[in-house]
Amino acid sequence: MAWMHRVRSFMDYPKRSLRMKLFLFFVMVATIPLLILGYLSFSKSSEVVESQMVQYGQSTITQLEAQVDSYSRQMQATTRFIYSYLLDPISNVLDGKEPTSYSDFLAQANFNRLLDSHKTLDTTGIYVITPSGYYYGSPQIDVDQMHDQKWWQEIPEDYKGAYWTGIHGTSPYLAQNLNLPKQVIGLVFPMLGQYGSLMNSKIVVEMDASKLMTSFDLIEHNLHSYLTITDRSGRVIYQTNANREEHADDLVWKKELESNHWTIEVRTPFEPVFQETLTIRYFTIALIGFALLLSLLVSYFFSARITRRIISLKNNMQLVGIGKFHSRIEPETEDELGRLGGSFNKMVEQIEDLIEEVKLKEQLKKEAELRAYHYQINPHLLLNTLNMIQWQAKMKGDEDIRGMIYHLTKVLEGNLVITEELISIEREMYTVDHYLKIQEARYGLAFHFQFDCDKALFNCLIPRMTLQPLLENTFFHGFEDGQGNISLQMMQEGENLVLVLKDDGQGIAEDRLKTLLTENQPRALGSGGLGCFNVDQKFKLHFGRNFGMEITSEENKGTTITIRWPRITAISVATTEQIGRL
């Protein structure tokens, strides 16, 4: 029983060894064809030649049949669709002549786009030629020159259905700079049942015949064969340019296409092919022994080289799997295995970087959480202190100070409470209202503020703390002693909202205006420009780089700020009474 176990283990070894699989595969690939070829060359050379020629010819003609049938079906489908479209009096508004009005031009353009939509990479042209010589489609063709072509003149006048023109040149095409093929295969469909201006027109579909000619060339040269293609009436569509008499020992294949009932005949003479195989047989006998030995050596060394590198990659992957990220593969070559080793090294490095990045992010996350808790405490401390001062002012009867502190508290509530980044326009204007009350207490009635906005837009969202920094710039950099006029207008344009803030203050210098919204510019607190830049960045971060702020200004005449952003509606809003007095 021990020997049976050893035999079974030996037979199962290829299943567990990639090296043995590769070795056996290379040996089989190298030796089996050589052995078969040698045996057949000595015993049944003539039979093998005929059998191989029959199989090869059958396969070749089957491929050619599929290729020609594909072209035929595609061209017929295109023709049927265009013909059905033109038969429809609702969709067909063409008059078969040069367009004289915009509607005629639009109808022709739409029909040309319809024709172009049915083109493929192999389609040379699709067009409809009217009896008057006017045509639809592209590229441009010379209709008169097409009528002079032999294949066109051979079309019977009373022909019904699809007429295959065969393979011909592209001389009627005017746009020779379009890399047109030298030869095309065409189909002409007379529109005998059409009424109106397109009656007796012809639908012409032509496709690039280069691939067909390549297939024909392979048959004629590789098989030393003669090819003939005829239609159902016996008309020759294509024929090899060689005169040769038919012989009884010729190998002949015939196929009839289902799509258009063409007949493809491939005739191969037996003698030339047989003579060539005799030469191959002599060399096969001399080389088969040497090739067998060489295949064994090459298979052994090649399989060993491949599997050694794969085993090294597997071992390093196991080390990484247990957490030893220092493992690396030394690149030996630049082939797929070499690139795989390089990709493995990069992957391990990226894993190490990701681990370090995760550690760093976790540390930063904890620090951010601590800062967030701290920032939540500071605003409450500030607001509670201001409320205490406000009550002290009220107790002492100082209404001016109490009012300013009250409005300042409301402004700070809108700016410091950061639970929401997007708030309604109504809430933003509520904060602006209190800010303006502070400026009224400071400057009196020196400035005039006008607000224009449809109440239907009050519940639309806007980034928090948008208007207050802009108004602050106006008072501190645009006005002298707060004297001037400010207008704020909000409107809807399509799917977007537009905010326009104007003032008649000092304006902005041209050199300063060019860099006001430019990134990577030095900005200091209180120097101007920081508020506008921050507001612009808010809109870009929330809604995308296509939205944001535009500033136009002229010195001593004022500044206009325009902001566009998508309209987004808030789920809940505050009462409109708070903004009714604006």
Side-chain angles (χ1 to χ4, degrees):
M1 297 300 293
W3 66 271
M4 294 181 61
H5 177 74
R6 286 194 294 270
V7 171
R8 187 180 297 108
S9 177
F10 177 77
M11 296 180 64
D12 291 341
Y13 180 71
K15 298 180 181 179
R16 296 179 282 105
S17 174
L18 177 61
R19 179 177 178 179
M20 181 58 67
K21 289 179 181 178
L22 289 174
F23 176 75
L24 293 177
F25 174 77
F26 293 143
V27 170
M28 291 173 61
V29 169
T31 59
I32 291 178
L34 289 174
L35 292 175
I36 294 177
L37 180 60
Y39 173 76
L40 295 177
S41 297
F42 283 104
S43 62
K44 298 180 180 180
S45 58
S46 60
E47 181 181 347
V48 169
V49 169
E50 184 176 357
S51 175
Q52 289 180 345
M53 288 301 300
V54 170
Q55 294 178 3
Y56 184 63
Q58 189 68 30
S59 174
T60 302
I61 196 173
T62 300
Q63 294 177 4
L64 179 60
E65 174 194 12
Q67 188 177 14
V68 176
D69 192 66
S70 174
Y71 274 55
S72 172
R73 292 181 184 275
Q74 181 177 343
M75 296 169 71
Q76 287 180 336
T78 302
T79 304
R80 286 195 296 268
F81 178 86
I82 297 173
Y83 185 69
S84 300
Y85 176 87
L86 295 176
L87 285 178
D88 188 356
I90 297 178
S91 59
N92 179 18
V93 294
L94 304 174
D95 56 6
K97 58 184 180 179
E98 190 79 17
T100 58
S101 64
Y102 178 76
S103 60
D104 294 340
F105 175 80
L106 186 60
Q108 178 173 327
N110 291 334
F111 183 64
N112 285 338
R113 283 195 294 270
L114 175 68
L115 297 181
D116 289 339
S117 66
H118 285 78
K119 287 185 177 180
T120 64
L121 294 177
D122 295 324
T123 303
T124 305
I126 303 175
Y127 28 83
V128 177
I129 302 177
T130 63
S132 63
Y134 186 77
Y135 70 95
Y136 301 93
S138 62
Q140 296 181 352
I141 58 173
D142 188 337
V143 177
D144 294 333
Q145 188 175 357
M146 178 175 287
H147 289 166
D148 294 336
Q149 300 294 311
K150 180 180 178 181
W151 57 266
W152 183 274
Q153 295 177 356
E154 291 177 352
I155 302 176
E157 295 182 358
D158 58 345
Y159 194 88
K160 297 181 180 179
Y163 179 85
W164 297 94
T165 64
I167 299 175
H168 54 83
T170 58
S171 56
Y173 286 85
L174 299 178
Q176 295 295 329
N177 59 338
L178 296 179
N179 295 323
L180 293 172
K182 294 182 178 179
Q183 291 180 309
V184 296
I185 181 171
L187 183 147
V188 178
F189 191 92
M191 300 172 57
L192 300 178
Q194 179 73 19
Y195 296 94
S197 58
L198 297 182
M199 183 172 60
N200 296 326
S201 298
K202 289 182 175 62
I203 302 174
V204 181
V205 179
E206 291 185 336
M207 298 187 68
D208 185 0
S210 300
K211 296 180 180 178
L212 289 178
M213 297 303 297
T214 302
S215 300
F216 296 166
D217 185 73
L218 291 175
I219 292 176
E220 294 168 351
H221 291 84
N222 292 6
L223 287 176
H224 307 281
S225 303
Y226 299 86
L227 175 64
T228 303
I229 302 178
T230 57
D231 62 8
R232 65 170 66 187
S233 63
R235 183 171 61 93
V236 176
I237 302 297
Y238 175 84
Q239 188 174 33
T240 301
N241 296 325
N243 296 324
R244 179 184 178 275
E245 296 180 0
E246 299 180 359
H247 299 281
D249 58 349
D250 290 346
L251 300 178
V252 180
W253 298 273
K254 280 189 177 182
K255 284 283 187 178
E256 182 176 346
L257 303 182
E258 296 180 0
S259 59
N260 55 9
H261 300 284
W262 284 3
T263 300
I264 301 176
E265 180 183 290
V266 178
R267 181 174 295 272
T268 303
F270 188 80
E271 296 84 356
V273 178
F274 182 77
Q275 292 298 326
E276 293 181 3
T277 57
L278 289 178
T279 304
I280 297 175
R281 182 178 64 178
Y282 297 141
F283 281 100
T284 302
I285 296 173
L287 295 176
I288 190 169
F290 174 77
L292 284 173
L293 179 61
L294 182 62
S295 65
L296 290 173
L297 295 175
V298 172
S299 300
Y300 176 80
F301 288 109
F302 192 68
S303 60
R305 181 175 177 81
I306 292 178
T307 54
R308 177 176 57 81
R309 297 164 64 189
I310 295 177
I311 292 173
S312 175
L313 177 61
K314 182 200 69 171
N315 294 335
N316 281 274
M317 292 178 66
Q318 290 177 343
L319 291 176
V320 172
I322 60 177
K324 296 182 179 180
F325 297 103
H326 63 277
S327 300
R328 295 292 187 274
I329 296 177
E330 294 296 331
E332 299 179 1
T333 60
E334 297 182 357
D335 57 8
E336 287 78 1
L337 288 177
R339 292 194 292 270
L340 181 61
S343 299
F344 173 80
N345 294 338
K346 291 181 181 179
M347 180 191 69
V348 175
E349 293 174 359
Q350 290 175 352
I351 291 176
E352 289 183 313
D353 294 340
L354 286 174
I355 292 175
E356 294 298 326
E357 184 178 350
V358 169
K359 291 181 180 178
L360 179 59
K361 286 185 177 180
E362 288 296 326
Q363 182 179 357
L364 294 176
K365 181 180 178 182
K366 292 181 181 180
E367 294 177 358
E369 289 177 351
L370 292 175
R371 285 197 299 269
Y373 290 135
H374 176 72
Y375 290 152
Q376 288 178 359
I377 295 173
N378 286 342
H380 288 290
L381 177 62
L382 177 60
L383 295 176
N384 290 337
T385 303
L386 290 175
N387 285 329
M388 185 183 301
I389 297 174
Q390 176 188 351
W391 280 105
Q392 290 292 332
K394 182 176 182 181
M395 295 292 296
K396 294 182 179 181
D398 195 335
E399 289 298 324
D400 292 337
I401 295 178
R402 186 198 68 81
M404 290 187 65
I405 293 176
Y406 170 74
H407 294 301
L408 176 61
T409 302
K410 293 302 179 181
V411 172
L412 291 177
E413 285 180 352
N415 293 340
L416 296 178
V417 180
I418 56 174
T419 56
E420 295 176 283
E421 283 297 327
L422 295 177
I423 63 174
S424 66
I425 293 177
E426 187 174 22
R427 286 178 56 187
E428 179 72 6
M429 292 306 302
Y430 176 68
T431 302
V432 169
D433 182 34
H434 286 285
Y435 176 77
L436 293 176
K437 292 298 183 182
I438 295 175
Q439 300 304 322
E440 286 183 7
R442 179 181 180 184
Y443 297 111
L445 300 178
F447 69 91
H448 175 70
F449 177 77
Q450 181 180 359
F451 175 59
D452 182 16
C453 178
D454 190 348
K455 290 187 177 181
L457 303 179
F458 282 178
N459 65 335
C460 295
L461 296 182
I462 189 173
R464 182 182 60 82
M465 198 179 174
T466 294
L467 295 173
Q468 188 264 328
L470 302 181
L471 291 172
E472 186 173 347
N473 282 343
T474 300
F475 280 104
F476 284 90
H477 301 287
F479 291 168
E480 294 182 0
D481 299 329
Q483 186 173 1
N485 297 306
I486 304 173
S487 66
L488 175 61
Q489 184 180 12
M490 294 188 187
M491 68 198 79
Q492 181 173 351
E493 291 185 359
E495 298 296 328
N496 299 330
L497 295 179
V498 179
L499 180 152
V500 180
L501 179 64
K502 296 182 179 180
D503 67 68
D504 56 359
Q506 297 178 0
I508 305 173
E510 183 176 356
D511 56 344
R512 177 61 174 161
L513 184 62
K514 292 180 180 179
T515 61
L516 198 59
L517 301 180
T518 305
E519 297 183 8
N520 301 323
Q521 292 291 327
R523 294 179 176 88
L525 187 63
S527 63
L530 182 61
C532 292
F533 177 78
N534 289 341
V535 171
D536 180 58
Q537 291 300 310
K538 280 186 180 182
F539 280 89
K540 285 180 168 54
L541 290 174
H542 282 293
F543 307 111
R545 308 298 298 180
N546 295 331
F547 299 97
M549 181 187 301
E550 296 178 2
I551 303 177
T552 58
S553 181
E554 188 175 351
E555 290 189 81
N556 300 321
K557 291 188 178 181
T559 302
T560 301
I561 297 176
T562 305
I563 304 178
R564 287 180 172 81
W565 73 100
R567 175 175 178 174
I568 304 176
T569 305
I571 298 177
S572 60
V573 297
T575 60
T576 57
E577 296 178 356
Q578 296 172 327
I579 201 170
R581 61 181 179 276
L582 294 178

